[in-house]
């Protein structure tokens, strides 16, 4: 065994109904006097619930998916105007993304409270959108100093969104098994993440107000994002990034839908990854196990339902050929990508797509 693995310096505070106390302790430890709170209007009530008594200098609400540059600029000016010394964000990946945009230019520390399972809180990756072009980059300044996970704050996340977002975390886990910097530590994190998702997702669908399943999903979200941050973007992330940017598709649902097809494509050429996935799903075979989970969850199925125009597929497949990571377990050509996108567009059973690939 031979590998190089970088671990990121970040504190994690995990505890149901413990966010307010955790934040108060963080603010005191950092001697912060002027906190900027970032939360979308829908998450205002949650934000107020956990920041009462803190030295809040500014409550900022303009959160937009994929962080348009003009939105980032307004938030940066507001932070400067309020003389903020700490940024606190509560919400999904879009909210964390705005906090990162502020930290990128100001160097202000972030404390993030995620309420979806997208995992941005555990990565040093930032993203900004100009027109229809999304640029991403890596900068240690945007990695939140502390992440506070509190399952009680995720109870309001609707079941369908919980499923899609949990499968976004599943995609981080599975893709990290063959991504450019895949290593045994990432694989261990990812395998435990898959196990926790397979336990938590059905529990949340069965009983959305119960906390045990929600805790499993937050725990898995952290593991998945840590594995992804270290391993980098594999084929799955390349496909979703391109589709999301070109066709303005919703983030979590796109990841959820594309994942089984990427597993169908890569699985046979990645026997060790497939064995890990199957084991973590307690299934005899990886794709069978993943697809049974999808069926049990009534997971989102077809990109056609989320805005991908069928006419855009050939052009997307052509662009994707250039983006296939060189270390992908198998060679992938334009025809494979065309078939994959057609299958994901229609929501075909991914085992049929796998059989079609071999014909
Ligand atoms: P999101 O943040 O847009 O949230 C989706 C929806 O969920 C929103 O309508 C939001 O208001 C709602 N919501 C969030 N928490 C809620 C709660 N507790 N109760 C009720 N509703 C709630 O979507 P997302 O999938 O979390 O994040 C997607 C964004 O994050 C994308 O822009 C993506 O590129 C980015 N992202 C970045 C990284 C990274 O490492 N930089 C990683 C993952 C995702």
């Amino acid at each position: 065994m031979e590998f190089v693995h970088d671990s990121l310096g970040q504190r994690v505070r995990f505890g149901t109904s413990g966010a307010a106390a955790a934040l108060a302790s963080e603010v005191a430890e950092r001697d912060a006097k002027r906190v900027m709170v970032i939360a979308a209007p829908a998450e205002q009530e949650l934000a107020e619930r956990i920041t009462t008594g803190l030295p809040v200098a500014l409550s900022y609400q303009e959160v937009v998916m994929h962080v348009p540059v003009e939105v980032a600029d307004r938030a940066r000016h507001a932070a400067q105007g309020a003389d903020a010394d700490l940024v606190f964000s509560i919400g999904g990946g879009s909210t964390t993304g705005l906090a990162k945009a502020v930290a990128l230019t100001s160097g202000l520390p972030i404390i993030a409270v995620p309420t979806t399972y997208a995992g941005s809180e555990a990565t040093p990756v930032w993203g900004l959108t100009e027109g229809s072009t999304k640029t991403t980059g890596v900068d240690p300044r945007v990695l939140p100093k502390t992440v506070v996970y509190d399952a009680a704050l995720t109870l309001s996340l609707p079941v369908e969104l919980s499923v899609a977002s949990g499968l976004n975390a599943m995609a981080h886990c599975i893709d990290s098994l063959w991504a450019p910097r895949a290593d045994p530590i990432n694989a261990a994190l990812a395998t435990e993440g898959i196990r926790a998702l397979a336990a938590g997702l059905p529990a949340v669908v069965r009983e959305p107000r119960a906390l045990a399943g929600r805790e499993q999903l937050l725990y898995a979200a952290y593991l998945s994002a840590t594995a992804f941050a270290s391993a980098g973007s594999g084929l799955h992330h390349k496909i979703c990034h391109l589709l999301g940017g070109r066709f303005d598709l919703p983030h979590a649902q796109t990841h959820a839908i594309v994942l089984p097809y990427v597993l169908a494509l890569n699985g046979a050429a990645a026997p060790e990854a497939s064995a890990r996935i199957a084991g973590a799903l307690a299934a005899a075979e990886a794709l069978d196990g993943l697809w049974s989970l999808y069926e049990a969850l009534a997971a989102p199925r077809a990109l056609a339902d989320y805005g991908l125009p069928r006419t855009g597929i050939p052009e997307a497949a052509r662009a994707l050929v250039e983006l296939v990571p060189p270390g992908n377990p198998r060679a992938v050509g334009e025809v494979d990508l065309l078939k994959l996108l057609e299958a994901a567009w229609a929501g075909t059973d991914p085992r049929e797509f796998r059989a079609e690939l071999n014909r």
Side-chain angles (χ1 to χ4, degrees):
M1 213 187 257
E2 194 176 332
F3 60 89
V4 176
H5 179 92
D6 288 318
S7 293
L8 300 172
Q10 182 179 62
R11 176 183 290 168
V12 174
R13 287 179 179 264
F14 200 105
T16 297
S17 303
L23 281 180
S25 162
E26 288 289 325
V27 166
E29 192 179 312
R30 293 171 190 284
D31 199 23
K33 301 277 189 283
R34 303 189 60 78
V35 179
M36 174 184 193
V37 177
I38 302 182
E43 276 76 66
Q44 266 320 293
E45 192 256 312
L46 292 180
E48 280 164 23
R49 211 200 298 168
I50 60 175
T51 55
T52 309
L54 297 186
V56 175
L58 171 66
S59 281
Y60 200 81
Q61 301 189 13
E62 193 194 13
V63 172
V64 181
M65 174 99 91
H66 304 314
V67 199
V69 281
E70 53 283 5
V71 171
D73 283 343
R74 282 196 286 275
R76 289 163 172 167
H77 280 123
Q80 211 170 18
D83 197 18
D85 57 6
L86 180 72
V87 179
F88 158 57
S89 65
I90 171 165
S94 302
T95 309
T96 313
L98 184 61
K100 286 177 161 183
V102 172
L104 184 64
T105 51
S106 66
L108 287 173
I110 302 174
I111 298 181
V113 183
T115 60
T116 68
Y117 314 113
S120 176
E121 68 279 2
T123 84
V125 179
W126 55 265
L128 286 167
T129 307
E130 192 154 19
S132 59
T133 308
K134 184 165 179 176
T135 309
T136 58
V138 175
D139 193 307
R141 280 178 303 178
V142 310
L143 179 74
K145 299 288 180 257
T146 299
V147 185
V148 175
Y149 288 108
D150 180 345
L153 303 175
T154 64
L155 287 175
S156 50
L157 192 65
V159 169
E160 302 79 55
L161 202 46
S162 302
V163 167
S165 192
L167 294 173
N168 183 185
M170 182 71 87
H172 294 327
C173 292
I174 291 181
D175 210 33
S176 74
L177 295 172
W178 47 59
R181 297 183 304 280
D183 70 33
I185 296 179
N186 302 328
L189 295 168
T191 307
E192 171 63 358
I194 297 168
R195 188 207 58 73
L197 289 165
L201 280 166
V204 167
V205 169
R206 244 185 344 261
E207 250 189 293
R209 302 286 309 167
L211 286 162
R214 300 272 181 190
E215 285 182 344
Q216 287 294 309
L217 297 191
L218 278 181
Y219 166 60
Y222 175 72
L223 296 174
S224 75
T226 309
F228 163 60
S230 173
S233 288
L235 179 64
H236 170 87
H237 281 79
K238 295 290 183 191
I239 294 173
C240 292
H241 187 84
L242 181 123
L243 293 179
R246 255 183 212 210
F247 303 106
D248 197 23
L249 306 183
H251 180 82
Q253 289 86 346
T254 304
H255 277 269
I257 292 169
V258 169
L259 179 64
Y261 303 100
V262 175
L263 178 57
L265 186 73
N266 273 350
E272 196 189 318
S274 295
R276 276 183 176 277
I277 297 163
L281 294 172
E285 197 272 330
L287 188 56
D288 282 342
L290 186 68
W291 198 240
S292 307
L293 181 66
Y294 270 59
E295 288 186 322
L297 301 172
R301 208 163 150 164
L303 289 175
D305 298 338
Y306 293 90
L308 177 68
R310 193 173 190 180
T311 49
I313 290 177
E315 169 218 329
R318 260 194 308 281
L320 275 167
V321 182
E322 307 298 323
L323 302 177
V324 176
N328 192 62
R330 55 162 279 178
V332 178
E334 191 177 326
V335 174
D336 303 316
L337 290 162
L338 208 51
K339 287 181 181 171
L340 184 150
L341 293 178
E342 281 287 347
W345 177 84
T348 314
D349 185 321
R351 291 161 300 191
E352 279 173 33
F353 159 65
R354 183 170 58 187
E356 160 82 14
L357 274 176
N358 296 328
R359 266 199 278 277

